[in-house]
């Protein structure tokens, strides 16, 4: 028994002596092996009833769903003439997908001759870099063990399959975590580069603009506790304006190229028409309200009113968690403000369906709240839940993918 305790203590000591980047690499790539097994198993279980047919290849899964749109962007660019449906509405097209990820994947793919290989390499490398930056971000607020467990939950989380497919999420998370780290450390200069990198990788930079506004207000009221200089005020205001400009610039670019000022918005709404009857239109909060009515009424046989109550209670519960839960408060005001800003952004613009799980991935710094308790049974239970959730997501979205709630 004593020898076992000594061996365990020695192993822990050797682990702590490894460089942080090595520890993160071990955690992250071990998690990628588990995810690869999940994908292979899902492919084996895929049958005639699956969207992907019998025995799909890993390449089929890497290029599945929105990955194919990124591939189309890389190979053909963006259309000057918008495709139209038989009813005369703008159809789904490449303008809904930002350019940095597909073109970077194409650049990386040149030695291999397949865009899917480049997309896989960019996703998995960006996921590793994001994991390392997440550790640094967590160490600003949490103890070393909690920071590393945050990386474990992030690398093994229910949506960790995104690190191994042709989606832009991994790359976006890298830019986002770097941007949040700059805010926490008050190093604003890098944000002038990171904001356009975020904005042209994946939608969501307008949420960062809202975050900067809230952060600036908070800093103003905290100026007696932490000195607020004129240079910092200028940076916060200028960066907020810059994030707004970048956030709306893709709509302007799409309008100029196509000659249709509403090209981008109409393209985004093309996906919404797959869910609701009639002509889809945009208004703030309308997507969430319409989806609540759709799911609770048409799909689940309840009523829109029940859905609205559930939505309201959900929003109140999340707000309370961000405000009062001790483990969440440990993460600091900056990460809580980001989480609130991003959730408000989703409420304003998103039509929630099964991809809501993927859309919540930018809230990944909240893994720190799950890692903060020092209980080993708790942490192992969270890890088990992450892996179970990951298998459920991969099997349903990539092993089956044949119903309306199996779309990643």
């Amino acid at each position: 028994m004593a020898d076992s305790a000594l061996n365990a203590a020695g192993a822990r000591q050797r682990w702590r002596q490894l460089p942080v980047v090595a520890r993160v690499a071990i955690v992250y790539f071990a998690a990628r092996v588990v995810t690869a097994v999940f994908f292979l198993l899902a492919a084996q279980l895929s049958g005639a009833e699956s969207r992907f047919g019998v025995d799909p290849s890993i390449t089929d899964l890497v290029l599945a769903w929105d990955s194919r749109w990124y591939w189309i962007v890389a190979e053909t660019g963006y259309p000057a003439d918008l495709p139209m449906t038989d009813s005369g509405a703008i159809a789904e097209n490449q303008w809904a997908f930002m350019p940095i990820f597909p073109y970077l994947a194409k650049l990386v793919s040149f030695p291999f001759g397949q865009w899917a290989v480049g997309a896989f390499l960019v996703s998995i490398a960006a996921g590793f870099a994001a994991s390392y930056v997440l550790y640094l971000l967590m160490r600003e607020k949490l103890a070393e063990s909690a920071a590393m467990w945050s990386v474990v939950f992030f690398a093994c989380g229910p949506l960790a399959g995104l690190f191994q497919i042709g989606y832009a999420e991994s790359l976006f998370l890298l830019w986002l975590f770097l941007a949040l780290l700059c805010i926490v450390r008050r190093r604003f200069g890098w944000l002038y580069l990171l904001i356009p990198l975020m904005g042209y990788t994946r939608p969501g930079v307008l949420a960062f603009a809202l975050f900067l506004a809230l952060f600036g207000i908070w800093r103003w009221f905290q100026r007696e506790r932490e000195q607020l200089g004129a240079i910092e005020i200028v940076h916060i205001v200028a960066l907020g304006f810059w994030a707004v400009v970048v956030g709306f610039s893709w709509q302007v670019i799409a309008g100029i190229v196509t000659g249709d000022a509403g090209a981008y918005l109409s393209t985004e709404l093309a996906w919404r028409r797959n869910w609701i009857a009639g002509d889809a239109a945009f208004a703030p909060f309308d997507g969430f309200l319409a989806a609540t009515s759709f799911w609770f009424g048409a799909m689940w046989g309840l009523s829109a009113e029940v859905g609205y109550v559930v939505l309201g209670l959900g929003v109140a519960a999340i707000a309370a968690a961000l405000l009062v839960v001790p483990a969440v408060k440990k993460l600091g005001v900056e990460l809580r403000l980001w989480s609130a800003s991003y959730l408000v952004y989703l409420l304003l613009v998103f039509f929630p369906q099964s991809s809501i799980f993927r859309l919540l991935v930018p809230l990944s710094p909240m893994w720190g709240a799950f890692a903060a308790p020092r209980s080993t049974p708790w942490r192992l239970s969270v890890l088990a839940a992450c892996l179970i959730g990951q298998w459920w997501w991969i099997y349903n979205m990539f092993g089956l993918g044949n119903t309306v709630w199996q779309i990643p």
Side-chain angles (χ1 to χ4, degrees), residues 36-90:
V37 171
F38 286 165
F39 271 116
L40 289 170
L41 184 57
Q44 289 294 316
L45 294 175
S46 179
E49 77 283 0
S50 168
R51 173 187 177 91
F52 303 101
V54 177
D55 198 23
S57 69
I58 291 299
T59 300
D60 293 332
L61 301 185
V62 170
L63 286 175
W65 299 108
D66 285 354
S67 299
R68 188 162 296 274
W69 282 109
Y70 287 115
W71 172 70
I72 293 172
V73 169
E75 296 300 321
T76 67
Y78 294 90
D81 297 317
L82 293 169
M84 308 296 288
T85 66
D86 293 339
S87 64
I90 293 175

Side-chain angles (χ1 to χ4, degrees), residues 96-312:
F97 301 90
M98 303 303 172
I100 288 182
F101 175 78
Y103 288 128
L104 179 59
K106 184 173 184 178
L107 179 64
V108 173
S109 73
F110 279 139
F112 308 99
Q114 293 187 41
W115 183 87
V117 176
F120 170 82
L121 291 174
V122 170
S123 287
I124 202 166
F128 167 62
S131 298
Y132 178 65
V133 179
L134 178 63
Y135 174 88
L136 298 179
L137 185 60
M138 293 297 99
R139 281 296 283 130
E140 295 290 324
K141 305 295 181 180
L142 301 177
E144 193 280 334
S145 65
M148 188 58 68
W149 274 100
S150 300
V151 173
V152 172
F153 298 152
F154 175 65
C156 298
L159 277 292
L162 291 169
F163 298 135
Q164 287 164 245
I165 60 175
Y167 272 58
E169 266 71 12
S170 294
L171 195 59
F172 179 83
L173 290 174
L174 173 57
W175 310 140
L176 173 64
F177 293 170
L178 284 168
L180 292 173
L181 185 62
C182 286
I183 291 290
V184 170
R185 292 181 174 179
R186 309 295 190 258
R187 296 176 182 175
F188 299 101
W190 285 104
L191 291 169
Y192 293 96
L193 173 62
L194 289 167
I195 284 173
L197 287 174
M198 283 191 288
Y200 298 124
T201 297
R202 177 189 176 277
V205 75
L206 288 175
F208 201 79
L210 175 59
F211 162 63
L212 286 168
L214 296 177
F215 173 74
I217 294 170
W218 173 75
R219 285 289 291 115
W220 177 259
F221 285 106
Q222 292 291 313
R223 64 190 186 278
E224 293 184 1
R225 295 185 180 181
E226 179 185 351
Q227 184 177 358
L228 178 63
I231 293 178
E232 184 175 347
I233 294 173
V234 170
H235 275 309
I236 294 171
V237 173
L239 287 165
F241 178 75
W242 180 225
V244 170
V245 170
V246 171
F248 285 106
S249 64
W250 190 245
Q251 298 184 38
V252 175
I253 293 169
I256 292 172
V257 172
T258 62
D260 181 346
Y264 174 74
L265 186 57
S266 297
T267 296
E268 288 286 2
L269 292 174
W271 270 267
R272 189 176 299 186
R273 284 194 295 271
N274 294 329
W275 294 87
I276 58 176
D279 185 33
F282 174 78
F285 300 108
D286 180 69
F288 251 88
L289 294 175
T292 299
S293 177
F294 169 79
W295 285 104
F296 280 84
M299 294 301 296
W300 296 336
L302 299 172
S303 69
E305 289 73 20
V306 171
Y308 298 146
V309 171
V310 172
L311 176 61

Side-chain angles (χ1 to χ4, degrees), residues 11-35:
R12 287 194 294 270
Q13 182 64 24
R14 289 191 295 273
W15 171 257
R16 286 193 292 266
Q17 288 174 347
L18 288 173
V20 169
V21 68
R23 283 182 277 156
V24 171
I26 291 169
V27 167
Y28 177 76
F29 287 106
R32 301 288 60 75
V33 172
V34 174
T35 299

